[in-house]
Amino acid sequence: MEIAHLVVMANQIAGFFEPLPDRDEAIKSVARHLRNFWDPRMRKQLAAYVIQGGDGGLKPLARDAVLMLHAETQSRSAP
Amino acid sequence: MLSITDKDWGTPARNSGQFATLEIDGKPVTVPVGTSILRAAALAGVNIPKLCATDSLEPFGSCRLCLVKIAGRGGYPASCTTPVAAGMKVRTQSDKLGELRRNVMELYISDHPLDCLTCPANGNCELQDMAGVVGLRHVRYGYSGRNHLDSPKDESNPYFVFDPSKCIVCSRCVRACEEVQGTFALTIQGRGFASVVSPGQHEPFIDSECVSCGACVQACPTATLMEKSIVEKGQAEHSVITTCGYCGVGCSFKAEMKGNEVARMVPNKDGQPNYGHSCVKGRFAWGYAAHPDRVVKPLIRERRSEPWRKVSWEEAINCAAAGLRRVREKYGKDSVGAITSSRCTNEETYLVQKLVRAAFGNNNVDTCARVCHSPTGYGLKTAFGTSAGTQDFASVLKADVIMVIGCNPTDGHPVFASMMKRRLREGAKLIVADPRAIDLVKSPHIEAASHLQLRPGTNVALVNAMAHVVVTEGLTDETFVAERCDTSAYRTWKEFIAKPHNSPEAVEEATGVAARAIRAAARLYATGGRAAIYYGLGVTEHSQGSTMVLAMANLAMATGNLGREGVGVNPLRGQNNVQGSCDVGSFPHELSGYRHISDPVLRAAFEQAWGVSLDPEPGLRIPNMFDAALDGSFKGLYIQGEDIAQSDPNTRHVVAALKAMEFIVIQDIFFNETSKYAHVFLPGSSFLEKNGTFTNSERRISRVRKAIPPLAGKEDWEVTVALSNALDYTMKYSHPSEIMDEIARLTPTFTGVSYEKLDRLGSVQWPCNEKAPRGTPVMHVGQFVRGKGNFTITEYIPTEERTSRRYPLILTTGRILTQYNVGTQTRRTSNVVWHREDRLEIHPHDAEQRGIRDGDRVEMSSRAGATTLRALVTERVQPGVVYTTFHHPESGANVVTTENSDWATNCPEYKVTAVQVMPVTRAARREEVRLYAAEASAAK
Ligand code: SF4
Ligand code: SF4
Ligand code: SF4
Ligand code: FES
């Protein structure tokens, strides 16, 4: 999917959780939202983008959440 | 088979809580204090003659036919206006009473055309019946005195005739328009013999304030106000109780039938939620079901460029199955999906999502509710624990303060609006938050205490500011919060909302609403008694739609306005079955009852029932499907009853996505914009042609009953069953009741629902289970569904869709009473007389700046596209804002809307689009005419 669009959507989600006083809680909330509502192909594509160093406008909170989700997926698929 | 006449108890029921026993013609009867003698008699099985009284209206006492004799009292009082008293002894028959009643009838009949045999009311006329009952045998005055027999008929309304020559001036119509509908369109003009019923100031109905709800027609005891369909076809011979197929009010109707033909639709007096009331759509605009445009044969084609080929059901189903299978094999199991419709029944919707999850093997199923109320689902579930409104409609009759945000009930939810208006006339206070002056702001006997005319896109700032006032002025209900809510979340929220940037003064500029008006509204909401919020798509269809739902939930919790009658947070759903289609599992991440697909225990239950293993990951939502189609990973789609090419935003993007898909199956009753890109067309059935259930905005599950056989031979659920079987996933149902039984088995909030119960009780509101066997009108009583109510931080974030020099105006959209959504149905009825085209409302200031005059054709452009329509210069909208309806495809409102969407649910931001509006220059107009002519001749 168009990566720019995924970035916009992820930023919107991060925007909602940004005001949470506890940053860890905010990261977890964004990650939970992505896990609960995004089709895996969308998550995978955004994760690949972040891992390849792409940050074209992605909010740090969104990036951290994407990385957190990615780590989770990796550990689940590890033998 | 149901008969077509209902028992009329004469006057409305009373519910005083105290009872009185009296004797009527020697029969003892006990009734609530306040009941009329007329009603008490009817309950005792004694029918007193009557004409001006009917049980839907307050008694009036004008005809003097219902006279009785009361022991120990002088004279002959009217039984309709005389309340019962304990120990009363009433006589309803005597020679004297007979004579008095015959005298009354004699006067009526001397001024009545005696054409009973050819009168359309013949067989269903109260005047005729009463003449018989009182034993009228001759008329002493003759028929040649002064009379009204030559009064001309008014046939201006497309659906009913007004024939004043038959009027007995009983005033039932006038009272119905006032009490039931609340429009006050009718009056009795003149006095004594000269008195006549008149719409407006002696205007024809069509030019008056009349909104064609039909209440007066329903109330009229004679043929004076009569449906044209009955004039043409004659009285019906049987009736079927069913549910309106239009809006989310979900009115109960009697379809009055002559064989397999509908003679008229009459609101069901005993049915909830409408108790015998209706609006012009459900009451009259049902003719589309038999429109010649209906597609009644299955169609297929290899390529989009080819003409459709009529085939058998078997061939069409096999072709659909083969196409979907081919795509799946070529591109993988996640490359196909389906869209369910909020127009279809719960059972049909449930089957489509089951087909996707069980036969397609993924969760790529979504519903058109995505583009309207998905933020409601997210917000109310997060705050309270379930994705539904908190109240029943009748709760509004107990509200002291009513706050209407982003909805226009008199147009979008008319029957509920009538109920709300009744409460407002009784003195409840009204707050309207809307960029536009909707009718409710000022209408007969109603004036909003406050109209917060905010800028589109600033809802969250406004409601946060109201909550700020509540918190900083100490207007919170701390006891409620301490008992019922998560107090730690409350503390965090309170700290956030009290910050100065949330104050009315701080948001004044962004919202365009004066700080003191926000403060006054907040104080009224918090201290005015029971306060209820009603909202619509003006809340949800924003980039902060979900945030706004949460912000309203915060405000209601902080003031203790939840968990009892008269309060609550209530979405008004657009289409008939938005609630139901979401309830039964249409969202890609949820199984029925709003339970997440990732829950292994839940999945196991469905896997066992369905005999397959289920994918634990959420699937694609509608806008994601379009994006995935364009990137090549989504290639096949089954769409039941939705026209995404017209109703979804940014038409250009949607069409590109449809073109990128390899195989599309459409199931619908008419060709539409989307079917241009389809390969298989499976003809659908209208709500009159099938069995099932709809669930309205107040969670009420009502039966839809088959009144006529499906025109194309199959009910919609049968088509999905056939498709599933052709895909080798066997579905075996012989009736939709079995599908509901399966939903009930698998869904904790539905375990008590069955067709047997619905037939017995009429309807039930979920949750309906062991704890609440007769359903639940008001939710969260004593405790929230999620346990503790959840406060959320709701920071206002302005939408990305900003005005600029290029696009300096904000477009927002809405609906009008007589039309329904993209107009597929209502444009195929006489309702078009009220709305032949969509107009663009623009403020005189903006119009003048652009040299636009009322009625001029204008071009409206946004960064997504451009369209033309005619301007309506009006102060209803504020400077900087333009407004249009979207009922006609030519106006192309969605050509200009963008793909901006709600952060949580991807619900499109239809309500805010930056646009420019310019007059169509003569040259451009000529070009338009030329292109139109070229297109028209090409089409020929
Ligand atoms: S139109 Fe019908 S309801 Fe109205 S006053 Fe005449 S008879 Fe009565
Ligand atoms: S149709 Fe409805 S609005 Fe019109 S006059 Fe009758 S009651 Fe009033
Ligand atoms: S209010 Fe809605 S459900 Fe009721 S008759 Fe009108 S369109 Fe139908
Ligand atoms: S019915 Fe009682 S006065 Fe008319």
Side-chain angles (χ1 to χ4, degrees):
Chain A
M1 288 185 200
E2 209 187 309
I3 193 70
H5 194 45
L6 294 178
V7 167
V8 167
M9 292 197 291
N11 279 348
Q12 276 184 294
I13 297 166
F16 179 80
F17 292 107
E18 246 163 15
L20 286 187
D22 177 347
R23 191 175 148 84
D24 277 352
E25 188 52 43
I27 299 175
K28 274 191 215 148
S29 299
V30 176
R32 194 180 314 125
H33 193 92
L34 293 173
R35 194 190 306 116
N36 281 347
F37 298 101
W38 279 30
D39 173 278
R41 81 191 80 175
M42 295 161 67
R43 299 193 315 244
K44 220 184 273 168
Q45 202 181 335
L46 190 59
Y49 174 73
V50 172
I51 287 158
Q52 281 158 22
D55 73 347
L58 199 65
K59 288 183 182 226
L61 183 58
R63 195 199 54 227
D64 291 352
V66 169
L67 288 173
M68 177 184 205
L69 262 190
H70 180 68
E72 242 177 46
T73 324
Q74 295 297 93
S75 69
R76 234 185 299 139
S77 54
Chain B
M1 255 184 211
L2 276 163
S3 77
I4 57 160
T5 43
D6 288 315
K7 172 85 187 154
D8 185 344
W9 306 97
T11 61
R14 297 289 184 237
N15 191 9
S16 54
Q18 289 167 320
F19 292 85
T21 300
L22 66 158
E23 230 176 63
I24 298 175
D25 290 346
K27 293 186 190 170
V29 57
T30 304
V31 293
V33 169
T35 304
S36 70
I37 295 176
L38 181 65
R39 185 178 176 97
L43 291 165
V46 176
N47 293 318
I48 302 174
K50 64 174 193 59
L51 271 174
C52 69
T54 183
D55 57 11
S56 60
L57 303 171
E58 289 303 317
F60 192 57
S62 73
C63 75
R64 314 297 297 167
L65 204 62
C66 67
L67 309 181
V68 290
K69 184 74 195 150
I70 303 173
R73 293 199 196 174
Y76 297 94
S79 61
C80 63
T81 48
T82 310
V84 296
M88 212 179 222
K89 288 191 172 21
V90 179
R91 264 174 56 208
T92 72
Q93 300 293 348
S94 71
D95 288 350
K96 182 66 189 166
L97 285 167
E99 187 191 327
L100 289 171
R101 288 179 188 143
R102 274 191 297 277
N103 289 349
V104 169
M105 279 311 290
E106 224 177 330
L107 277 170
Y108 278 128
I109 297 300
S110 67
D111 184 13
H112 198 81
L114 295 180
D115 58 357
C116 288
L117 287 182
T118 52
C119 175
N122 190 10
N124 196 1
C125 171
E126 292 181 40
L127 187 68
Q128 204 179 51
D129 294 348
M130 287 306 119
V133 166
V134 304
L136 185 71
R137 294 292 171 263
H138 63 272
V139 174
R140 281 167 293 171
Y141 318 109
Y143 304 101
S144 52
R146 277 203 303 155
N147 60 47
H148 299 88
L149 302 183
D150 294 327
S151 310
K153 285 185 194 170
D154 173 356
E155 295 184 294
S156 63
N157 182 291
Y159 297 116
F160 58 84
V161 195
F162 175 51
D163 180 356
S165 71
K166 299 193 163 169
C167 181
I168 57 170
V169 204
C170 66
S171 180
R172 272 161 66 161
C173 53
V174 178
R175 288 177 285 143
C177 192
E178 291 175 8
E179 292 175 29
V180 180
Q181 165 58 23
T183 291
F184 296 79
L186 300 177
T187 47
I188 303 278
Q189 304 247 332
R191 303 178 131 233
F193 176 81
S195 50
V196 285
V197 170
S198 160
Q201 299 296 320
H202 290 298
E203 289 160 296
F205 266 88
I206 197 80
D207 298 331
S208 73
E209 293 291 307
C210 168
V211 293
S212 202
C213 71
C216 55
V217 182
Q218 183 76 353
C220 181
T222 66
T224 314
L225 284 161
M226 181 57 85
E227 294 89 348
K228 286 184 178 171
S229 62
I230 294 293
V231 176
E232 278 158 26
K233 296 180 182 152
Q235 295 284 336
E237 36 78 18
H238 76 277
S239 69
V240 179
I241 290 183
T242 190
T243 304
C244 178
Y246 279 114
C247 87
V249 178
C251 295
S252 175
F253 273 89
K254 265 186 168 183
E256 290 193 354
M257 309 294 300
K258 280 180 94 74
N260 278 339
E261 213 184 343
V262 180
R264 68 175 163 187
M265 295 288 285
V266 182
N268 176 17
K269 202 171 111 175
D270 302 320
Q272 294 194 65
N274 51 320
Y275 302 99
H277 190 35
S278 62
C279 85
V280 59
K281 295 187 285 282
R283 177 79 150 94
F284 296 118
W286 39 267
Y288 72 86
H291 195 278
D293 286 353
R294 281 285 300 271
V295 180
V296 292
K297 288 269 182 276
L299 305 167
I300 63 171
R301 60 185 173 192
E302 287 276 307
R303 268 178 287 275
R304 294 179 176 121
S305 52
E306 290 173 4
W308 288 108
R309 199 155 57 79
K310 282 187 192 158
V311 293
S312 66
W313 270 110
E314 197 188 352
E315 190 175 349
I317 294 284
N318 286 339
C319 173
L324 290 167
R325 196 180 280 129
R326 199 170 55 236
V327 169
R328 202 170 171 274
E329 277 160 13
K330 194 161 151 200
Y331 300 99
K333 83 167 175 58
D334 295 328
S335 61
V336 288
I339 298 178
T340 72
S341 171
S342 300
R343 315 307 321 282
C344 291
T345 64
N346 287 318
E347 293 74 7
E348 287 156 359
T349 308
Y350 174 84
L351 284 196
V352 173
Q353 62 90 36
K354 178 173 178 179
L355 173 81
V356 171
R357 301 188 206 274
F360 292 5
N362 62 45
N363 292 309
N364 293 330
V365 61
D366 205 359
T367 170
C368 53
R370 171 68 50 208
V371 302
C372 69
H373 263 292
S374 49
T376 290
Y378 176 85
L380 296 184
K381 180 158 187 197
T382 307
F384 308 144
T386 193
S387 301
T390 60
Q391 312 298 117
D392 59 342
F393 284 141
S395 159
V396 78
L397 296 170
K398 300 271 166 61
D400 302 309
V401 178
I402 297 171
M403 179 147 132
V404 169
I405 311 182
C407 62
N408 183 2
T410 52
D411 285 69
H413 303 86
V415 166
F416 172 64
S418 291
M419 224 182 227
M420 184 187 270
K421 288 201 287 188
R422 188 182 327 157
R423 184 62 186 159
L424 292 168
R425 288 197 305 275
E426 286 168 2
K429 297 277 183 298
L430 173 67
I431 303 169
V432 174
D434 202 294
R436 189 170 162 268
I438 56 171
D439 284 353
L440 264 185
V441 171
K442 198 165 174 9
S443 59
H445 304 280
I446 290 171
E447 184 158 6
S450 145
H451 177 204
L452 309 171
Q453 200 164 11
L454 75 174
R455 296 221 167 88
T458 61
N459 287 336
V460 173
L462 181 84
V463 170
N464 278 352
M466 288 180 68
H468 175 93
V469 175
V470 167
V471 163
T472 55
E473 295 189 4
L475 308 177
T476 51
D477 184 342
E478 294 294 323
T479 320
F480 178 88
V481 174
E483 269 171 24
R484 304 282 308 271
C485 302
D486 177 335
T487 44
S488 127
Y490 176 59
R491 273 192 303 276
T492 317
W493 173 77
K494 213 171 164 185
E495 217 169 276
F496 154 77
I497 209 76
K499 287 184 183 161
H501 75 277
N502 287 319
S503 72
E505 292 69 23
V507 302
E508 198 173 49
E509 198 184 321
T511 59
V513 182
R516 65 182 145 61
I518 302 178
R519 286 195 180 270
R523 288 172 196 143
L524 176 59
Y525 176 83
T527 63
R530 295 167 181 245
I533 297 176
Y534 292 90
Y535 72 92
L537 306 185
V539 156
T540 54
E541 290 178 347
H542 286 278
S543 64
Q544 279 205 292
S546 294
T547 316
M548 175 62 177
V549 175
L550 290 165
M552 295 185 304
N554 291 339
L555 181 64
M557 282 188 290
T559 50
N561 277 310
L562 284 159
R564 59 205 161 109
E565 284 187 302
V567 298
V569 180
N570 304 288
L572 297 178
R573 312 283 192 155
Q575 312 199 62
N576 49 342
N577 203 33
V578 176
Q579 182 70 53
S581 70
C582 301
D583 296 342
V584 299
S586 286
F587 286 138
H589 63 286
E590 279 172 344
L591 288 160
S592 61
Y594 304 99
R595 294 165 300 161
H596 203 275
I597 186 81
S598 61
D599 177 349
V601 179
L602 170 69
R603 266 201 327 279
F606 278 80
E607 285 171 343
Q608 204 197 0
W610 293 354
V612 286
S613 66
L614 296 174
D615 185 339
E617 292 286 354
L620 295 166
R621 302 178 284 194
I622 292 173
N624 310 148
M625 289 180 187
F626 299 148
D627 292 344
L630 288 167
D631 89 353
S633 67
F634 190 74
K635 289 287 192 180
L637 185 57
Y638 167 39
I639 307 172
Q640 188 178 65
E642 204 201 339
D643 187 5
I644 47 179
Q646 206 195 150
S647 56
D648 284 41
N650 195 349
T651 311
R652 200 153 54 184
H653 180 72
V654 178
V655 166
L658 288 170
K659 282 184 177 162
M661 288 184 214
E662 271 188 27
F663 191 73
I664 297 178
V665 181
I666 298 262
Q667 185 172 341
D668 217 312
I669 61 175
F670 295 113
F671 284 125
N672 57 30
E673 290 301 306
T674 313
S675 59
K676 290 182 185 158
Y677 309 97
H679 302 84
V680 176
F681 191 106
L682 305 170
S685 45
S686 78
F687 78 111
L688 291 167
E689 297 156 40
K690 57 193 177 189
N691 282 305
T693 55
F694 290 150
T695 307
N696 75 354
S697 300
E698 40 153 26
R699 298 170 274 103
R700 183 182 302 283
I701 307 165
S702 301
R703 273 298 312 275
V704 176
R705 292 188 182 83
K706 182 147 91 173
I708 51 178
L711 298 196
K714 279 191 197 297
E715 299 180 38
D716 286 311
W717 63 272
E718 293 176 300
V719 178
T720 308
V721 166
L723 181 58
S724 188
N725 290 337
L727 282 164
D728 296 329
Y729 178 74
T730 311
M731 286 189 187
K732 277 195 212 139
Y733 303 98
S734 60
H735 190 271
S737 63
E738 296 166 9
I739 308 173
M740 181 51 88
D741 292 343
E742 182 174 319
I743 299 172
R745 275 197 302 277
L746 288 166
T747 318
T749 41
F750 275 66
T751 48
V753 182
S754 68
Y755 277 33
E756 179 278 320
K757 186 179 281 182
L758 293 172
D759 288 343
R760 190 156 38 86
L761 300 182
S763 60
V764 289
Q765 287 171 276
W766 68 258
C768 175
N769 47 28
E770 267 169 29
K771 274 196 235 152
R774 295 177 76 89
T776 311
V778 176
M779 290 196 84
H780 315 297
V781 177
Q783 193 188 20
F784 285 104
V785 170
R786 75 184 292 283
K788 294 285 183 188
N790 184 22
F791 282 87
T792 315
I793 293 188
T794 52
E795 191 76 77
Y796 165 58
I797 302 173
T799 166
E800 290 298 314
E801 184 70 9
R802 311 258 167 88
T803 52
S804 60
R805 275 185 46 196
R806 196 151 168 224
Y807 302 115
L809 301 169
I810 290 284
L811 165 73
T812 189
T813 56
R815 303 209 292 220
I816 68 150
L817 169 70
T818 57
Q819 297 298 313
Y820 184 73
N821 284 5
V822 292
T824 314
Q825 292 140 299
T826 43
R827 277 185 289 109
R828 290 182 170 94
T829 68
S830 301
N831 278 27
V832 288
V833 305
W834 288 285
H835 188 77
R836 293 194 188 277
E837 61 176 352
D838 295 315
R839 301 274 290 262
L840 184 76
E841 291 186 9
I842 183 166
H843 189 272
H845 174 76
D846 293 324
E848 195 189 324
Q849 267 190 342
R850 292 166 174 75
I852 294 169
R853 282 160 314 175
D854 195 55
D856 279 358
R857 272 204 95 69
V858 295
E859 185 188 76
M860 173 165 67
S861 52
S862 75
R863 61 186 173 80
T867 183
T868 66
L869 62 180
R870 282 201 310 135
L872 176 72
V873 179
T874 168
E875 286 185 1
R876 268 199 168 203
V877 288
Q878 50 189 308
V881 176
V882 291
Y883 166 92
T884 187
T885 49
F886 50 89
H887 304 303
H888 291 267
E890 331 45 277
S891 33
N894 283 327
V895 173
V896 298
T897 49
T898 67
E899 316 99 89
N900 280 354
S901 66
D902 172 49
W903 68 270
T905 65
N906 279 158
C907 178
E909 189 172 40
Y910 290 105
K911 299 292 177 184
V912 186
T913 310
V915 295
Q916 177 58 294
V917 177
M918 278 298 166
V920 176
T921 59
R922 283 238 188 91
R925 174 84 186 118
R926 269 202 302 277
E927 177 63 9
E928 195 184 89
V929 171
R930 192 189 63 75
L931 283 175
Y932 181 78
E935 247 176 50
S937 72
K940 265 186 216 149

